[in-house]
Amino acid sequence: REGGGGACGAARAMAAEARAARNVALGGAQVASRFGNLSVGSGLQAAVCARDRVRLCHLDGASEPVDVCVPLARTVLQARFVSLDCVEYLALASNAGLHLFSADGASLSGSLEIGKFPRHPNLNPAIAEACTTVEGVHGSSLLAAGTSQGQLAILHFDASRGRLSVEHSLDSQSGCNITALATSIAYVASGDEDGNIRVWDASNFSETSMFRFPGAPCSGMLVRGQELVAAFGTGQIRAYNIAHEHQLYEFDAHCRSLNAIALHATRQLLASVGEDGFLNVWELPKGDRGTVRLLSSSHHKDAFHTGVAFSQEETSRIVTAAYDHGMILVW
């Protein structure tokens, strides 16, 4: 990173600090999940997990927040807006399994109970079974869903029958809780709480690459072309070349645990949030050339950030969610 020093020192030295535009109330709900707990849909709806349900709210305040309840769920671990065959849905991962709702949360489109997910051959009875993460597989009717037992299930959604079924079962081999997923047209990647990252070819789901950061939970991942960008609980961000299986660069992004990252749709911008209360915006290099630059840094006092997203529109609005806060912030 240009300028040297730690993330906190660089953040305090920023002359132009991005300010929060406004708060959007969640109607009394409190954000509960730790990693990647925020998703923004094409209709400017933001989804955050609030213990046993998901709260949907409009970024422009065009409608009142609404709850999406998951049958038999005690804890909803992740909410994601996904596109399946060009139709947007809201996918919810929980201890009860995976539930697919219409994008407005009004109707249940399909579900798969946790008991029907593939199980690790050496199932650990001490670890409660749950679907922990979910992402859509680009340009298809497939979903990638990770579990607390380290299994990655590729699910097929039959919209005509409203049915979710297991198409492929990919074993992470570690048996560790899958904490992050990333997908692209070419790849599906999973990261777990022990810092293991595995990458599969999205065309045939054969394993192509593996990267390790022992002892550091992977809290978020993104794929752009042949580059995999991964965030870790140590506060560091690392980038890898998938095809050649080597590290491109790394940098210290936060003083404490880094809980979520988001990539701008058209620019080389990466947003990161963590337990230190900072929202940082970085300019990433192309490949292994150039340097990572900290463009802006904003601090939200007493905030334990758990999610970040760029809004899906022409502006560069950034949305963040924080643990135990009854609101999201629009920057």
Side-chain angles (χ1 to χ4, degrees):
R1 184 172 64 243
E2 290 185 348
C8 286
R12 296 190 183 101
M14 291 297 294
E17 183 175 328
R19 300 292 181 182
R22 68 182 180 282
N23 301 333
V24 179
L26 292 175
Q30 291 184 326
V31 175
S33 188
R34 179 183 176 188
F35 292 149
N37 184 11
L38 177 67
S39 185
V40 176
S42 59
L44 295 184
Q45 287 274 83
V48 294
C49 303
R51 307 197 189 285
D52 62 346
R53 64 198 63 203
V54 167
R55 177 60 55 93
L56 286 179
C57 63
H58 198 279
L59 295 184
D60 290 332
S63 58
E64 291 295 316
V66 297
D67 280 341
V68 182
C69 297
V70 178
L72 303 178
R74 296 186 305 274
T75 305
V76 181
L77 297 166
Q78 195 167 78
R80 282 289 182 270
F81 287 100
V82 298
S83 180
L84 302 176
D85 289 334
C86 299
V87 177
E88 189 173 57
Y89 297 91
L90 178 63
L92 308 183
S94 74
N95 67 288
L98 183 68
H99 291 73
L100 198 64
F101 287 83
S102 57
D104 61 2
S107 59
L108 180 64
S109 302
S111 64
L112 187 70
E113 300 173 0
I114 191 61
K116 295 181 180 179
F117 272 73
R119 294 185 171 186
H120 194 275
N122 299 316
L123 183 67
N124 185 351
I127 300 176
E129 290 185 79
C131 179
T132 55
T133 53
V134 60
E135 291 286 351
V137 178
H138 289 242
S140 71
S141 58
L142 301 178
L143 288 160
T147 73
S148 57
Q149 295 281 351
Q151 296 294 105
L152 179 59
I154 304 300
L155 309 180
H156 174 258
F157 178 57
D158 185 341
S160 63
R161 301 171 62 185
R163 182 185 176 190
L164 276 170
S165 58
V166 178
E167 188 96 345
H168 301 277
S169 176
L170 309 179
D171 188 0
S172 71
Q173 299 183 11
S174 67
C176 292
N177 177 25
I178 293 180
T179 50
L181 291 176
T183 63
S184 70
I185 295 175
Y187 298 108
V188 174
S190 72
D192 66 29
E193 64 183 4
D194 276 358
N196 302 301
I197 295 175
R198 292 181 182 271
V199 184
W200 289 269
D201 187 319
S203 64
N204 56 19
F205 299 104
S206 60
E207 187 172 334
T208 64
S209 313
M210 182 176 179
F211 308 99
R212 295 183 185 274
F213 192 174
C218 182
S219 54
M221 289 191 303
L222 301 161
V223 177
R224 52 173 196 162
Q226 289 293 329
E227 186 176 333
L228 172 72
V229 181
F232 296 93
T234 57
Q236 292 174 293
I237 291 176
R238 287 184 173 186
Y240 305 95
N241 182 288
I242 296 173
H244 297 115
E245 293 190 85
H246 72 267
Q247 183 175 309
L248 297 172
Y249 56 86
E250 69 173 337
F251 59 99
D252 297 325
H254 289 264
C255 297
R256 298 177 63 186
S257 178
L258 200 170
N259 291 339
I261 55 175
L263 186 67
H264 192 279
T266 59
R267 301 171 62 187
Q268 299 284 110
L269 300 182
L270 181 80
S272 63
V273 293
E275 292 181 10
D276 55 8
F278 279 92
L279 160 65
N280 293 331
V281 181
W282 312 86
E283 183 180 56
L284 299 181
K286 294 182 179 180
D288 55 359
R289 297 183 178 181
T291 56
V292 177
R293 293 197 302 144
L294 178 61
L295 299 183
S296 70
S297 188
S298 304
H299 187 249
H300 183 199
K301 186 179 180 181
D302 299 325
F304 183 115
H305 286 301
T306 58
V308 63
F310 284 96
S311 62
Q312 296 188 29
E313 54 181 338
E314 293 302 319
T315 65
S316 292
R317 289 195 294 181
I318 302 176
V319 188
T320 62
Y323 180 83
D324 268 358
H325 277 56
M327 64 186 69
I328 61 173
L329 298 177
V330 183
W331 306 78

